[in-house]
Amino acid sequence: MVGTTIIRRRSGAAASLVALVTAIALVIGTPVASAAPDAPDEGDNKSLREVLEAASKGHIEAKAKLDNSKKRQKELTAQYDAVQDRLVSLTDEVGLMAAESYRVGRLTSVTLLLNSASPADMLDRAAGLEVMAQREGRNLRALTEAHEQAARAKAAIDNEVREQEKQVAIMARKKQDAERALAAVGGQSSGGFVSTTSAAAKPAPRNSDGSWPSESCNVDDPTTSGCITPRTLHALNQAKAAGFTRYVSCFRNGGSGEHPKGRACDFSAEAGGFQNRAATGGNRTYGNNLASYYINNADRLGVLYVIWYRQIWMPGTGWRSYNGGGSPAGDHTNHVHLSML
């Protein structure tokens, strides 16, 4: 009904088509949005992007599990050490009680009668020996429980070590996947862009176990009429707070990669917006510093990868050379590309 009303109010085939598309989008809830008109056309190597995304995401997830396992191992080791200290103390106590019991001998009805000067003395002795027996029993039970706790803590520590070995192996495989994919298009290890003066970003929210929460494209993109994820918005705002305020375009309809998912942004190297030329001078320095900012804050923000000036950075591989086809947009020499988890 909405579509019919709009179409009737417009004239001409072109206007009708626009109205129909808009009406359908409103009915099914699909946002009608696109990148800015001058957004860079980065090319579309779908298979490469898919491999890089899977490799980088797999590496980051494995590292989060590895870090969580190391944290858990540290806690378990502290528990194990505390139990071991208690074991030493309990063992000493039980040893002293055993020596005392051996010295005075076990209480029997005959020895109780023979060694008692009076009925009252006999009762006092019986009560004292009973208290000793109860203490000995408690300490023996505590000693047994401490041994069991130590064994459980040791087994848990061993499990964490195995988990860490597993995640390290996954990280190694993901690194190999990324390196093979990049090598196929001429990617080699490179120097990259590193700055030790990058500001520290405010960390994005994580799950309690250190992993990254799954997010959808559900917040307004301030750079287009589309949507981005909350984590992407956080990374964008943190960069602006750090002084990187030049032109940015994030959401983009169609194509592969993270732009249509609201998980990528392109940052112009020039203040006036995207230009069809490679950045030089201060513009290139701006790009260098921005790329370095996201690399240095990758773990705080949830960065998947960064592409700038014929190079790509991934958490599992570091900087590698990147061939985007030769154009300023494809080679990313006129803009910094950021992809997020």
Side-chain angles (χ1 to χ4, degrees):
M1 184 65 184
V2 174
T4 303
T5 302
I6 295 175
I7 292 172
R8 287 175 177 174
R9 291 177 180 176
R10 295 180 180 271
S11 62
S16 298
L17 180 59
V18 171
L20 179 61
V21 171
T22 302
I24 293 174
L26 291 173
V27 171
I28 66 176
T30 302
V32 177
S34 61
D38 56 351
D41 181 7
E42 300 171 334
D44 189 15
N45 189 333
K46 183 177 180 180
S47 59
L48 176 61
R49 287 180 181 271
E50 288 177 348
V51 171
L52 295 182
E53 179 181 351
S56 187
K57 185 176 181 181
H59 173 93
I60 293 171
E61 291 175 347
K63 186 177 184 301
K65 291 179 181 179
L66 176 63
D67 292 342
N68 188 54
S69 178
K70 288 180 177 179
K71 179 181 177 182
R72 177 65 177 156
Q73 181 185 3
K74 185 176 180 180
E75 294 171 350
L76 289 168
T77 300
Q79 294 175 15
Y80 180 78
D81 291 342
V83 172
Q84 290 288 10
D85 290 342
R86 188 161 179 257
L87 274 172
V88 172
S89 176
L90 287 170
T91 300
D92 291 343
E93 288 183 27
V94 171
L96 289 173
M97 296 191 70
E100 180 66 13
S101 178
Y102 176 79
R103 186 179 65 80
V104 301
R106 290 292 181 182
L107 179 65
T108 66
S109 58
V110 175
T111 56
L112 183 64
L113 291 172
L114 291 177
N115 297 325
S116 299
S118 66
D121 182 47
M122 180 184 70
L123 291 175
D124 287 342
R125 288 202 51 178
L129 291 172
E130 178 65 21
V131 169
M132 181 180 290
Q134 290 177 358
R135 281 181 53 201
E136 184 176 294
R138 285 197 300 270
N139 283 346
L140 285 172
R141 287 193 296 272
L143 182 61
T144 300
E145 181 182 348
H147 274 294
E148 293 173 349
Q149 289 177 348
R152 289 195 296 269
K154 182 63 170 60
I157 290 172
D158 291 342
N159 285 336
E160 294 302 333
V161 171
R162 286 191 291 270
E163 174 67 14
Q164 291 165 31
E165 293 172 346
K166 173 184 174 182
Q167 298 307 326
V168 168
I170 291 175
M171 291 167 66
R173 289 198 301 271
K174 295 302 179 181
K175 179 180 180 180
Q176 290 175 353
D177 290 345
E179 289 179 339
R180 279 196 296 265
L182 289 170
V185 293
Q188 302 295 327
S189 180
S190 61
F193 309 94
V194 179
S195 172
T196 58
T197 60
S198 296
K202 179 181 178 181
R206 289 182 183 246
N207 295 321
S208 59
D209 64 356
S211 62
W212 292 102
S214 176
E215 295 184 347
S216 59
C217 189
N218 59 9
V219 297
D220 290 339
D221 175 13
T223 70
T224 71
S225 56
C227 62
I228 54 177
T229 67
R231 193 157 46 244
T232 304
L233 178 62
H234 177 76
L236 177 63
N237 288 337
Q238 287 298 295
K240 288 182 178 178
F244 299 102
T245 57
R246 294 186 179 181
Y247 191 81
V248 187
S249 178
C250 296
F251 181 85
R252 184 181 308 155
N253 272 323
S256 61
E258 289 73 41
H259 282 292
K261 304 171 187 175
R263 295 196 285 112
C265 292
D266 290 327
F267 297 78
S268 170
E270 299 197 26
F274 302 113
Q275 302 296 325
N276 190 29
R277 58 175 177 251
T280 59
N283 294 331
R284 183 167 180 177
T285 299
Y286 178 87
N288 292 349
N289 292 337
L290 177 57
S292 295
Y293 173 81
Y294 277 125
I295 302 314
N296 291 338
N297 288 288
D299 192 54
R300 295 185 183 94
L301 298 175
V303 173
L304 193 65
Y305 58 82
V306 174
I307 310 176
W308 167 240
Y309 231 90
R310 304 186 190 93
Q311 297 185 64
I312 181 171
W313 180 91
M314 298 173 62
T317 64
W319 283 104
R320 309 280 294 188
S321 59
Y322 181 88
N323 181 0
S327 68
D331 284 345
H332 296 76
T333 55
N334 67 348
H335 73 284
V336 176
H337 173 92
L338 170 71
S339 281
M340 299 291 297
L341 282 169

